[in-house]
Amino acid sequence: MTSRTTTPAPSAHPSPSAGGAPAFAGLAALATGTGPALQVTAPADGRPLGAVRQASGAEIDVAVARARAAQKAWARTPAKARAAVVRRFASLVLDRRDEILDVIEAETGKARLAALEEAMDASRTAAYYAHTAPGLLRPRRRGGAFPVLTQTTERRHPKGVVGVITPWNYPFTLPASDSVPALLAGNAVVIKPDEKTPFSALLALSLLREAGLPEGVAQVVVGARDEAGPALVEAADYIMFTGSSATGRKVAARCGERLIGFSAELGGKNPLIVLADADVPAAAAGAARACFANAGQLCIGPERIYVHEAVRARFTEAFLGEVGRMRVAGGAGWDAEMGSLISDAQLAKVRAHVEDAVAQGARILAGGGPRPELGPYFFAPTVLADVPETAALCREETFGPVVAIYPVASEEEAIARANNSELGLNASLWTRAARGAELGARLEAGTVNVNEGYAASWGSLSAPMGGWKASGVGRRHGAEGLLKYTEAQTVSVQRLLRFAPLPGMANERYADLLTGAVRVLNRFR
Ligand code: NAD
């Protein structure tokens, strides 16, 4: 049931059960489901990692019912006690870093440095929300309809069971970091990871349980994409979806019909602008790191570079130098900067985008094809120029290690072309100008990084992160990233005066009195 069909090969990787890491078989036992086994293979070399039992639609219903039952006691647990569990999880992720990296690396084929970003992100997000959640969830006094006479409190209740649906590209941090605020808000979660990468999500679950999360409050269900995802959307009380814009539309439509809330973090075709006054070597190094992070399988990674004519030659030379020096390799270890793609399907898509662009006149400045000598799905870091507007690579998300350089004659042209996209997830702008932040705010994207590719905004956990246009609905991070998992409730206690004429008072007199009172109130708020 996986799209990878390569023959298993003996591995040079250390076993993920080495060094105290739980065996894949141990993790598989945590999955809810008794259906046919799903074989998971390592993309870097095709070796089998283990099998996980799939959950049918009916078993997902049962998992949601179990979560709903467990959620009641969890919601009654004081917010500070819930936060203590999540704080322990944040520490455990650091303590067990190497084990986590082994599992992520084996399951995705990504470079260890890219896997490190996941572990650090999961730990930071957990610690951030453990600190802030009790305050965000506290009942708050609000101004009443009439001062003193109306006492109003805003309360936050959990939604119930949150379905967390995640893709394969960040298989540890997305299930963990999107579940943590939901759990802190008093919800139970049922996580459905991508079927290619269930073990990272199962490892996150095992660490959450080790940190003290009661059984049943978080579960992982693994299953066929056409059955498990829709079944969870059908049963949960709120959906946190991360994935492609195409699937996001389907999920949104069904959530709309069910009238349940959802948050959708979707695809990107992210621009990176290099202005004439940019620090060119820094821009070249930063762009190379961002474009090829996780072999380009990063929703917020740049795929379009708009460089000012004045620095185009210098930037291109420096950028190609960085790309040429990039270490692409498989195998556990810290040396590689870029690893494998996830699957044959991903390789085919990346290849098709490049071949189509070249057939339409694009020039290959670096890379351009697969690297089968490294592993079945490796693709060289690729830089293209002269990509025409009609090429799919110009407008659609490629999600691979491919970036196109487009010259621009002015700042205005760079901004206009960057904004000319139906997607608006992340943008990057390189300039020495003090007004960089102001210029960046003209870009139509949920996050804008000035003199960085993506990490500065993503890592700013207290600020919202998410997509404009077809890149998403809703936000993760910041207060919004937690409060979306709650139902707001306004409780108002009315004293003394009622919203009606006093006994014996003529209606007209009441109307005049009320008008006077509203006139006074309007002066203040
Ligand atoms: P995908 O949409 O194919 O799959 C994502 C998840 O949805 C998987 O778990 C899949 O099994 C499930 N799914 C599939 N069909 C479903 C359905 N009908 N109902 C419910 N669930 C269903 O995405 P992908 O190709 O695996 O992941 C890559 C995409 O994710 C890229 O477009 C990338 O940009 C995006 N992404 C976005 C962010 C973000 O924060 N915005 C982060 C990571 C990835």
Side-chain angles (χ1 to χ4, degrees):
M1 252 317 306
T2 165
S3 61
R4 300 191 207 107
T5 50
T6 0
T7 316
S11 164
H13 297 248
S15 156
S17 59
F24 284 112
L27 290 175
L30 297 177
T32 303
T34 58
L38 173 81
Q39 293 295 333
V40 181
T41 54
D45 55 15
R47 89 201 121 108
L49 295 177
V52 181
R53 290 220 173 261
Q54 298 180 74
S56 64
E59 284 179 311
I60 289 173
D61 286 348
V62 172
V64 171
R66 195 182 313 126
R68 193 160 278 126
Q71 185 263 338
K72 304 276 181 292
W74 178 244
R76 283 194 302 272
T77 307
K80 283 191 173 162
R82 296 198 297 258
V85 171
V86 170
R87 201 169 288 119
R88 277 196 294 279
F89 172 76
S91 300
L92 274 176
V93 169
L94 299 182
D95 298 345
R96 306 275 278 282
R97 186 194 74 186
D98 290 346
E99 169 188 343
I100 295 168
L101 302 196
D102 286 347
V103 172
I104 298 173
E105 215 180 325
E107 195 166 61
T108 62
K110 65 173 67 176
R112 204 164 180 81
L113 275 175
L116 179 71
E117 285 191 341
E118 289 206 53
M120 296 304 111
D121 182 59
S123 183
R124 279 296 301 129
T125 307
Y128 164 74
Y129 277 122
H131 283 297
T132 53
L136 286 170
L137 294 166
R138 224 183 33 236
R140 281 173 200 283
R141 288 294 290 271
R142 300 292 185 203
F146 283 103
V148 186
L149 304 180
T150 319
Q151 288 188 345
T152 292
T153 313
E154 178 189 324
R155 291 178 172 274
R156 293 283 170 171
H157 295 271
K159 292 269 183 189
V161 178
V162 173
V164 178
I165 300 176
T166 53
W168 43 263
N169 65 332
Y170 282 78
F172 182 79
T173 194
L174 291 175
S177 301
D178 284 338
S179 295
V180 149
L183 292 168
L184 283 163
N187 299 283
V189 297
V190 175
I191 302 166
K192 196 215 79 66
D194 188 278
E195 48 277 28
K196 291 181 279 303
T197 54
F199 286 114
S200 302
L202 288 164
L203 180 54
L205 175 71
S206 110
L207 295 173
L208 279 166
R209 290 199 179 152
E210 194 175 329
L213 192 71
E215 193 89 10
V217 174
Q219 294 168 70
V220 170
V221 293
V222 177
R225 62 182 276 129
D226 293 338
E227 186 177 359
L232 188 54
V233 173
E234 224 47 57
D237 303 315
Y238 182 92
I239 292 294
M240 172 66 224
F241 174 81
T242 306
S244 62
S245 298
T247 312
R249 285 182 210 276
K250 290 188 202 166
V251 170
R254 193 56 202 133
C255 289
E257 279 167 5
R258 288 197 57 220
L259 286 178
I260 59 166
F262 71 97
S263 184
E265 298 288 342
L266 310 175
K269 186 74 188 176
N270 309 303
L272 182 148
I273 296 173
V274 184
L275 292 182
D277 67 352
D279 176 340
V280 170
R289 200 180 68 76
C291 294
F292 303 110
N294 201 22
Q297 303 166 117
L298 169 61
C299 56
I300 47 182
E303 295 196 355
R304 306 179 278 152
I305 296 181
Y306 297 103
V307 56
H308 196 283
E309 280 288 10
V311 290
R312 179 167 65 109
R314 266 202 310 137
F315 172 81
T316 305
E317 190 189 345
F319 185 59
L320 292 177
E322 296 285 345
V323 175
R325 284 189 290 278
M326 193 163 283
R327 290 186 301 278
V328 184
W334 290 106
D335 287 345
E337 288 159 290
M338 200 184 103
S340 172
L341 295 179
I342 187 78
S343 63
D344 51 359
Q346 202 59 29
L347 177 70
K349 184 182 175 197
V350 172
R351 205 173 178 165
H353 269 202
V354 172
E355 286 173 3
D356 167 63
V358 170
Q360 295 195 48
R363 277 184 304 126
I364 295 174
L365 303 183
R371 298 278 310 270
E373 74 283 11
L374 298 175
Y377 313 132
F378 280 81
F379 197 91
T382 295
V383 184
L384 300 177
D386 301 337
V387 174
E389 285 271 334
T390 48
L393 189 138
C394 183
R395 312 196 66 81
E396 292 170 24
E397 185 183 46
T398 304
F399 222 51
V402 181
V403 64
I405 299 181
Y406 304 91
V408 288
S410 67
E411 203 172 278
E412 289 305 316
E413 185 189 349
I415 291 174
R417 290 182 68 179
N419 287 343
N420 182 16
S421 170
E422 71 146 2
L423 298 168
L425 189 58
N426 180 48
S428 168
L429 174 73
W430 294 77
T431 175
R432 283 197 179 95
R435 63 198 176 93
E438 200 182 303
L439 270 180
R442 292 177 55 197
L443 290 163
E444 295 167 3
T447 51
V448 178
N449 287 270
V450 178
N451 297 328
E452 221 300 308
Y454 62 87
S457 285
W458 179 279
S460 299
L461 294 172
S462 58
M465 186 275 152
W468 286 17
K469 305 192 239 183
S471 285
V473 177
R475 294 291 181 267
R476 54 164 66 96
H477 296 172
E480 284 175 81
L482 182 132
L483 295 178
K484 70 185 178 186
Y485 294 125
T486 65
E487 290 289 1
Q489 181 185 53
T490 299
V491 179
S492 301
V493 179
Q494 185 63 22
R495 302 189 308 159
L496 302 173
L497 232 57
R498 311 280 155 221
F499 287 74
L502 292 171
M505 182 185 276
N507 284 353
E508 194 174 353
R509 172 85 184 114
Y510 170 70
D512 289 344
L513 267 177
L514 191 62
T515 307
V518 167
R519 212 181 288 285
V520 173
L521 278 180
N522 285 354
R523 273 199 222 129
F524 297 102
R525 56 186 164 95

